[in-house]
Amino acid sequence: LGGATVLAATPQAYFPPYHYKRGPDGGVLSAAGDEYWNTSVPYEGVMVDYLRELQDLSGGDFEVEWTHGSRASKRVHPSSAYTASVQDIADGTVDLAVGPIWITAERLQLAQYTMIVDYSRTVLIIPRPGVNTSLSQQVSKVLEPFAPSVWLLMVLVILITAILSVWFSPNRKSILAKAEKSSTNRSRYARMKAYSRLGIDEFLSKGTFFFSAGVEQDPSSSLPVKLLMFGFAFFICILISAYVANLAAFLTRNKASDSGPKTIEEAIKGNYKICALTGNRGELEVAWPAANFIWNESGKSYVGLVEDYDNGLCDVLIYGFANIDLMNMLCERDLVFTDSLVIENSVAFPVKTEYQAGLSYWMYQAEKTKGITVESLKKEYDRTSQVQPDCVVNLSQAAVEESDEFA
């Protein structure tokens, strides 16, 4: 870059911990105010630190001068401060926009991007599901430790053991003879009837032994019967041990109720109203053409989404990056993130064409030589930050913690 001075700005919407400023009281601001236009108030955040690391690594190859975006770009793109920051690049008012800015088809028509610095997984946000405490659900937990194929195997082993017990029984011949003698019809039917009676009796007997975790012990029984019972007892020991070990986990895990969608597919199938931002509208409409999206055009990012939800405009939301402010807003409304992926966007910095290759080079060198990435700095921020959300906002994590309460 030859010692160039790069004029950088963040979008006109703060997003802690990625980029933000502090108010007069030193508190982190989540919404831009008059201080945004005051260049004497420094930018802070993970992506600001990342750019500083690149500058230090370059050894003077480039310098960063911080400024602000234009009011004009916000008028052109009132529904997205991030698209407005890309417009500033296209208009030449700034050289670099720093923030978690998605790469979209619309924005690529306005400006070039640096190499990818992160990925944003947009997921479904839903009201926290209630717990299904119905009798049928509680009873079904007893069967959950084993798959249906294992239960079928158990029945099959009991059946085979019963058949072999009949065959090895020392009283088999005398019982058959008695059955034929008492029957008026000494045909094959009488023998089949006697065998069926013996088989059912042995099946019920062996089933009782299995479910009581034991086998009959008759010292006078023949060697084949003893070998059969030994194998049956070993099978019972293995299966009961595995069943008991898994049963505790299933009994303490409560399943969510079936009310409301848990995935984007269910939300579309049920024609639920889905609040979404216009930043990646084109990509979302291509990926989910049948979805009933309610587009937020306020330009307030996730704050606008939550306001639409509060006003009853939608049933669920979709969003990507999550910060502490958004998490607490979800806690207040008893909303949770699901694991249902709606779309994944690449994240990079919009940049003037003449600086694209140089900045991308130093990004590559930072990762290759020092392991410095936006993700690594974000992890360090999370490790040192003492601020935690007011509740668990991830649906899968909430289910695990709920189970732990009963363990």
Side-chain angles (χ1 to χ4, degrees):
L1 294 173
T5 298
V6 179
L7 202 60
T10 70
Q12 298 176 40
Y14 298 152
F15 202 146
Y18 295 100
H19 59 87
Y20 57 88
K21 287 188 175 184
R22 294 183 182 272
D25 60 351
V28 174
L29 299 174
S30 58
D34 293 338
E35 79 292 328
Y36 177 81
W37 312 101
N38 188 349
T39 55
S40 65
V41 180
Y43 285 108
E44 298 181 43
V46 170
M47 291 187 169
V48 177
D49 294 340
Y50 177 65
L51 198 60
R52 186 179 300 112
E53 292 283 357
L54 298 182
Q55 183 178 327
D56 294 341
L57 179 64
S58 73
D61 187 49
F62 73 95
E63 298 288 335
V64 176
E65 180 180 336
W66 290 97
T67 183
H68 52 72
S70 68
R71 289 181 171 85
S73 64
K74 197 67 169 66
R75 291 180 178 273
V76 176
H77 302 282
S79 62
S80 174
Y82 293 87
T83 303
S85 68
V86 183
Q87 183 68 53
D88 285 332
I89 304 295
D91 295 340
T93 55
V94 297
D95 302 324
L96 177 69
V98 180
I101 303 173
W102 293 330
I103 299 177
T104 66
E106 177 190 9
R107 294 168 183 175
L108 280 173
Q109 294 177 358
L110 298 175
Q112 301 294 315
Y113 280 78
T114 63
M115 66 176 286
I116 295 172
V117 298
D118 205 352
Y119 293 92
S120 171
R121 299 180 76 256
T122 297
V123 298
L124 186 69
I125 302 174
I126 63 173
R128 190 184 302 274
V131 176
N132 188 348
T133 57
S134 63
L135 178 61
S136 60
Q137 174 58 36
Q138 301 304 314
V139 172
S140 68
K141 291 180 180 180
V142 179
L143 302 176
E144 289 183 355
F146 287 151
S149 57
V150 179
W151 288 109
L152 182 62
L153 174 64
M154 290 167 48
V155 175
L156 184 62
V157 169
I158 294 173
L159 179 61
I160 293 174
T161 305
I163 293 173
L164 292 176
S165 295
V166 172
W167 184 258
F168 293 141
S169 173
N171 301 322
R172 175 172 59 89
K173 292 183 178 180
S174 61
I175 293 174
L176 288 175
K178 184 178 179 180
E180 290 180 354
K181 185 177 180 180
S182 61
S183 176
T184 57
N185 183 10
R186 299 183 180 181
S187 63
R188 183 180 301 176
Y189 173 76
R191 295 174 60 87
M192 291 296 298
K193 183 178 179 182
Y195 270 123
S196 299
R197 175 65 181 270
L198 285 173
I200 293 173
D201 182 73
E202 287 295 332
F203 181 80
L204 294 175
S205 175
K206 297 303 180 288
T208 302
F209 293 148
F210 181 88
F211 291 112
S212 61
V215 295
E216 60 183 336
Q217 301 181 36
D218 184 4
S220 63
S221 60
S222 63
L223 180 61
V225 172
K226 289 181 178 179
L227 289 174
L228 176 63
M229 290 299 100
F230 178 83
F232 190 47
F234 181 75
F235 176 77
I236 293 175
C237 177
I238 297 299
L239 221 61
I240 292 297
S241 298
Y243 179 79
V244 173
N246 291 326
L247 182 60
F250 285 96
L251 288 177
T252 57
R253 186 182 67 180
N254 290 319
K255 285 189 174 181
S257 62
D258 294 332
S259 60
K262 308 297 186 301
T263 65
I264 183 63
E265 291 83 1
E266 291 177 0
I268 294 173
K269 184 178 180 180
N271 197 32
Y272 288 89
K273 296 178 181 179
I274 307 169
C275 280
L277 297 177
T278 59
N280 56 353
R281 179 172 182 168
E283 287 74 11
L284 286 172
E285 288 180 337
V286 170
W288 307 100
N292 185 11
F293 289 117
I294 304 299
W295 302 106
N296 179 269
E297 300 182 350
S298 66
K300 298 179 181 180
S301 188
Y302 60 85
V303 176
L305 284 181
V306 175
E307 288 178 352
D308 281 354
Y309 178 81
D310 289 342
N311 293 331
L313 299 181
C314 56
D315 306 303
V316 295
L317 306 84
I318 58 172
Y319 197 69
F321 286 105
N323 60 12
I324 191 68
D325 184 48
L326 172 58
M327 291 180 185
N328 287 335
M329 293 176 73
L330 297 184
C331 289
E332 293 172 1
R333 293 156 179 83
D334 210 21
L335 299 173
V336 290
F337 287 99
T338 68
D339 293 327
S340 178
L341 179 64
V342 180
I343 197 171
E344 185 173 65
N345 291 98
S346 301
V347 176
F349 299 155
V351 63
K352 273 190 174 180
T353 305
E354 55 263 38
Y355 298 137
Q356 180 190 28
L359 285 174
S360 296
Y361 169 80
W362 289 117
M363 289 177 176
Y364 173 77
Q365 289 297 320
E367 181 176 3
K368 181 180 179 181
T369 61
K370 293 190 174 183
I372 298 174
T373 62
V374 170
E375 181 63 23
S376 66
L377 293 177
K378 174 66 165 52
K379 288 181 178 178
E380 179 63 20
Y381 175 90
D382 292 339
R383 186 183 66 83
T384 57
S385 176
Q386 301 298 318
V387 182
Q388 297 295 328
D390 297 334
C391 69
V392 178
V393 294
N394 186 282
L395 181 58
S396 57
Q397 184 181 356
V400 171
E401 292 197 0
E402 187 176 78
S403 295
D404 291 342
E405 292 178 0
F406 295 93

